[in-house]
Amino acid sequence: MELPWWLLSTAMVVGPIVGYIHQYFIIRKTKSSAGFNSITCAILLFANILRVFFWLGKRFDNTLLAQSIVMILAQLVLLEIVVRYRHDPSPMTLYANIRESFSSSSIQDDEDNEGLLTSEEDGHDRQHPYRRCLGGCLGRLWNWEHYLSYLNFVLAFTTIIAVLYLALGKFSVFIEILGALSLGIESMLPLPQLISNFRRWSTAGFSLLVAGTWAFGDTFKLFYFASTSSPLQFIVCGIIQVTIDCFIMLQFIVFNPRWSRFAKKSDWNDGRDRSFAVRGEK
């Protein structure tokens, strides 16, 4: 009777990192991490660090604690190779420049109005100098050149949470907030990758196994939350994750070269049929 329980626990701990192991070898083989968004590592690191402290304050299943520890170690290893072979721009730009995907004319407009915009921005910065500093800090956040900088940031984050836990850990409200933050951060896990794929109009470099792991795992969690009458926020976060997962899986279909060729061929056939129809009417 114990063997199935141990198998299930092992699957719960090892299963979530299988896709990231595959992603690691993809990056190592191609020597490029351009298709993988490093914010994914940040989300998983921060969410699981918070979950560890949540477990310390509210002891739940030990399997979930082991899952968090293994995920933290896996993301630290994956982050190292992502930084080593990173060739894409700052992950923050995928939010700031997403509108560029909708308008090709914006580039020309920017060039025509470059002088005006520059003067306005200079005047604005002189009036609000702190905004320039804030923008520079946000642009460099989680976009450092060296892996050690990421480790220092994660260590600083862990230290801050540890100090807060020592000071406020006796309050149940604080413990519940840690759990809510962990769940809320994790629910946004697939979003950066979804936006990154859309901006590049490609899923190249991103492991299909990772996307499949997300979709399967999030669907299983949503079913578990619904069947155990979990609080509403758990179910809402689960629905958000599953929805984003579905969009990512759809991207693998739409951005597939075979689908693109099929779509172009269909458009050509439709145009030819309309041409024949017009000739027939004449």
Side-chain angles (χ1 to χ4, degrees), residues 203-254:
T203 56
F206 180 57
S207 172
L208 178 60
L209 186 58
V210 171
T213 302
W214 286 352
F216 177 79
D218 293 338
T219 303
F220 177 80
K221 287 191 299 183
L222 179 59
F223 174 78
Y224 176 82
F225 294 152
S227 61
T228 56
S229 301
S230 298
L232 180 61
Q233 57 266 34
F234 281 78
I235 299 177
V236 171
C237 291
I239 293 175
I240 293 174
Q241 281 188 299
V242 171
T243 301
I244 299 176
D245 293 338
C246 291
F247 278 113
I248 291 179
M249 298 304 294
L250 183 62
Q251 286 179 329
F252 274 96
I253 299 175
V254 175

Side-chain angles (χ1 to χ4, degrees), residues 10-12 27 40 53 72 92 94 96 100-101 109 121 151 157 170 176 180 182 184 187 206 208 215 226 240 264 267:
T10 303
M12 286 287 291
I27 296 174
T40 300
F53 285 99
I72 291 172
M92 297 299 296
L94 68 90
E100 294 180 2
S101 301
D109 294 340
E121 290 175 357
L151 291 182
F157 175 82
K170 59 183 178 181
E176 295 299 331
S182 174
S187 68
F206 180 57
L208 178 60
I240 293 174
K264 291 180 180 179
D267 292 341

Side-chain angles (χ1 to χ4, degrees), residues 117-129:
L117 291 175
T118 302
S119 61
E120 291 179 353
E121 290 175 357
D122 291 343
H124 189 70
D125 288 340
R126 284 195 295 269
Q127 295 176 359
H128 305 282

Side-chain angles (χ1 to χ4, degrees), residues 16-17 19-20 36-52 67-76 78 142 154 157 182 185-190 192 210 214 218 221 241:
I17 69 170
Y20 298 107
F36 182 79
N37 199 305
S38 61
I39 295 182
T40 300
C41 297
I43 292 175
L44 285 171
L45 284 170
F46 300 148
N48 283 280
I49 289 172
L50 289 172
R51 186 187 294 179
V52 169
Q67 182 188 69
S68 294
I69 295 175
V70 171
M71 180 60 74
I72 291 172
L73 296 176
Q75 292 306 312
L76 289 175
L78 179 60
W142 206 255
V154 172
F157 175 82
S182 174
I185 293 174
E186 189 174 356
S187 68
M188 293 292 104
L189 171 63
V210 171
W214 286 352
D218 293 338
K221 287 191 299 183
Q241 281 188 299

Side-chain angles (χ1 to χ4, degrees), residues 251-264:
Q251 286 179 329
F252 274 96
I253 299 175
V254 175
F255 298 158
N256 190 296
R258 295 180 180 178
W259 172 267
S260 300
R261 288 195 296 267
F262 174 77
K264 291 180 180 179

